[in-house]
Amino acid sequence: MKNLGLDTDSLDIRQPAYFDQLNAMLAFVSIHDWKTYLKASSIGTYDKILSKPFEKASFEYNKALSGQSTEKPRAQVIADAVDRQMGFALGQLYIKRYFSEDAKKRALELVNNLDKAFEIRINRLDWMSDSTKIKAKEKLKAITKKIGYPDKWKEYKATIDRSKYFENVVALRAEEYKYQSGKLNKPPYREEWGPSPSTVTAYYRPSFNEIVFPAGILQYPYFDLYADDAVNYGGIGMVIGHEMTHAFDDQGAQFDKDGNVKNWWTKEDYDKFRAKTQQVIDLYSSFTVLDSVHVKGGLTVGENTADNGGIAIAFEAFKMTKQGQDTTKIDGFTPDQRFFLSIARIWRVKTRDEFMRTYVNTNPHSPAMWRVNGPLMNFTPFYEAFNVQPGDKNYKPESERIKTW
Ligand SMILES: [Zn+2]
């Protein structure tokens, strides 16, 4: 720790099981293999910013794992690199062009409506006791909402030289390391943003009890300032609802409303929750991705439960809007149908089989298709919107539809 410049007398280990395994491996893996592994890891840290042979080897390695056949265009590679190293400088330019004050206002309005819808649904839950409900609602109200970009911009002090790519990246990484290790022994900095504003992502962070939506995901097809509510509630609304439920799932339940590790469920309620998630595990384990590859129900249970809950909460919020209570068709589709079409639209992706094999084994999310078909086969309003009948491909009788949130 001293050599790393870290002055501390104790550590919280997030996943003790990992270190148990690592500890055991130190004894039985040969020193020769450790050397090879560490050498490869070290080179792997720099491969993309070194000369052509390294870059090419890195690409070939990635090709085996992902099936990617051609390298990204150079402009895209460099834009990604700038975003990764100086995302909060680039982000200021990004939001000027792609994220207006009006968009921020509407996105926040959406989040607040989802909030209300979730509270209504918590009140209505038949499996949660009143005492846990009170705690759940306290936690829901305490969630910090970060929309678009930070209030205070992170500054970069490293010297950037146009002619020195490698050195620039290393200098910025060193600065980042110093920044991160500087947090040690200090109270948490709650204003902090993880990803840059242009990143297409959303997350719930249990230790801060916060949900974060960078401007990058507040774009079409997730969100469009000028689209009707059905499109936005089905799109970004599902994502927002999904993140909110993470505050209450098997991981979120271990943190209280202030982000401290403290379980707030009664044992009985938690057992009931676990029984529900077991149903989710069983259902998703039955989904086929490729010939012999199935979704890993256990690995993806938290995310699948969030997808199911997210759609239900988003739909509840949508039904509170003017359009949600209306039946006027747009482009031949009812408001409810447009809501569900929007869900399907945000998960349109194309992947290669190699990528899918790695993804299914390592990613806690289900493949995109099952992030749509999985929750919708459990969601009765979808059946009603499209008149789904017994005999239709993903039909499930009402009694088998899983409902958690
Ligand atoms: Zn998630």
Side-chain angles (χ1 to χ4, degrees):
M1 299 300 284
K2 259 208 184 92
N3 289 341
L4 292 167
L6 305 174
D7 179 23
T8 185
D9 57 5
S10 60
L11 278 174
D12 272 344
I13 290 175
R14 206 160 159 162
Q15 303 217 7
Y18 169 85
F19 285 92
D20 286 342
Q21 189 67 27
L22 179 65
N23 208 26
M25 285 176 73
L26 284 176
F28 72 75
V29 174
S30 75
I31 191 84
H32 173 266
D33 286 355
W34 278 115
K35 281 183 178 172
T36 308
Y37 169 72
L38 291 171
K39 202 190 240 173
S41 295
S42 301
I43 296 171
T45 311
Y46 298 103
D47 56 2
K48 287 193 179 65
I49 54 171
L50 282 166
S51 52
K52 265 267 169 263
F54 289 94
E55 205 197 322
K56 199 164 175 299
S58 166
F59 175 72
E60 291 300 323
Y61 177 63
N62 191 40
K63 195 167 160 180
L65 294 179
S66 72
Q68 183 185 355
S69 61
T70 45
E71 285 187 78
K72 281 187 187 173
R74 187 170 167 77
Q76 208 175 320
V77 170
I78 297 303
D80 285 350
V82 174
D83 186 47
R84 202 160 36 243
Q85 302 303 332
M86 308 184 73
F88 291 90
L90 186 68
Q92 295 179 47
L93 302 174
Y94 178 83
I95 62 147
K96 249 185 220 143
R97 191 178 292 188
Y98 297 110
F99 196 61
S100 65
E101 271 305 310
D102 285 351
K104 183 167 178 163
K105 235 178 88 190
R106 179 133 191 237
L108 185 62
E109 208 178 279
L110 239 141
V111 174
N112 287 334
N113 289 346
L114 268 280
D115 220 3
K116 279 182 216 147
F118 199 5
E119 187 177 351
I120 291 169
R121 292 190 78 86
I122 290 174
N123 283 331
R124 222 192 279 144
L125 292 176
D126 55 8
W127 55 269
M128 190 186 267
S129 71
D130 287 344
S131 63
T132 304
K133 279 183 185 177
I134 290 168
K135 294 259 168 58
K137 284 185 282 181
E138 271 173 18
K139 190 169 184 190
L140 179 65
K141 291 219 165 69
I143 292 177
T144 303
K145 297 147 185 164
K146 294 182 177 171
I147 312 282
Y149 52 91
D151 292 332
K152 207 176 147 232
W153 292 100
K154 184 175 176 178
E155 283 171 32
Y156 301 91
K157 296 187 182 72
T159 309
I160 304 300
D161 181 334
R162 271 183 174 276
S163 63
K164 290 179 173 158
Y165 182 48
F166 181 85
E167 286 87 342
N168 289 342
V169 176
V170 169
L172 284 160
R173 285 184 185 175
E175 188 181 342
E176 178 66 14
Y177 180 79
K178 229 172 115 185
Y179 171 77
Q180 294 296 347
S181 53
K183 293 177 183 170
L184 204 60
N185 304 322
K186 287 191 194 129
Y189 175 48
R190 288 184 183 265
E191 311 298 305
E192 178 169 67
W193 278 60
S196 71
S198 61
T199 312
V200 183
T201 191
Y203 64 92
Y204 172 74
R205 189 174 178 184
S207 57
F208 281 20
N209 194 27
E210 66 173 12
I211 44 177
V212 186
F213 305 96
I217 200 170
L218 296 165
Q219 309 290 332
Y220 182 84
Y222 294 95
F223 174 76
D224 180 348
L225 180 57
Y226 303 105
D228 51 313
D229 278 328
V231 170
N232 284 327
Y233 280 80
I236 196 70
M238 172 200 176
V239 179
I240 296 166
H242 169 112
E243 299 308 336
M244 282 179 172
T245 70
H246 276 319
F248 307 94
D249 65 14
D250 52 329
Q251 290 178 39
Q254 298 172 41
F255 296 79
D256 69 8
K257 70 179 175 59
D258 301 313
N260 299 313
V261 177
K262 194 177 159 199
N263 183 21
W264 46 271
W265 291 67
T266 65
K267 194 185 170 307
E268 206 197 343
D269 286 359
Y270 195 62
D271 288 345
K272 282 187 194 157
F273 176 74
R274 297 292 295 203
K276 295 228 170 237
T277 55
Q278 187 57 49
Q279 291 180 304
V280 176
I281 292 175
D282 295 342
L283 174 66
Y284 280 75
S285 300
S286 72
F287 297 155
T288 307
V289 181
L290 300 165
D291 40 274
S292 60
V293 182
H294 286 80
V295 176
K296 292 198 160 181
L299 174 67
T300 55
V301 61
E303 297 302 332
N304 297 333
T305 308
D307 284 343
N308 280 269
I311 287 174
I313 297 161
F315 190 73
E316 182 94 35
F318 172 57
K319 295 310 271 182
M320 296 180 339
T321 66
K322 203 165 154 262
Q323 190 194 15
Q325 290 163 15
D326 194 17
T327 51
T328 310
K329 289 184 179 177
I330 302 176
D331 292 340
F333 293 105
T334 66
D336 287 4
Q337 288 174 339
R338 287 175 68 78
F339 172 91
F340 292 115
L341 287 171
S342 189
I343 290 174
R345 190 186 297 121
I346 63 171
W347 297 112
R348 280 187 311 191
V349 292
K350 275 184 95 172
T351 47
R352 289 178 189 276
D353 290 356
E354 293 93 326
F355 173 85
M356 205 30 92
R357 265 175 234 284
T358 310
Y359 185 92
V360 167
N361 280 309
T362 55
N363 197 296
H365 301 88
S366 286
M369 185 173 91
W370 295 110
R371 301 194 67 174
V372 181
N373 290 0
L376 293 187
M377 69 175 70
N378 287 317
F379 198 52
T380 300
F382 172 73
Y383 287 70
E384 288 160 359
F386 287 98
N387 191 27
V388 181
Q389 294 297 327
D392 288 337
K393 201 171 169 197
N394 288 325
Y395 178 87
K396 276 182 142 334
E398 182 114 36
S399 60
E400 285 176 30
R401 295 174 202 162
I402 306 164
K403 192 177 150 228
T404 308
W405 294 114

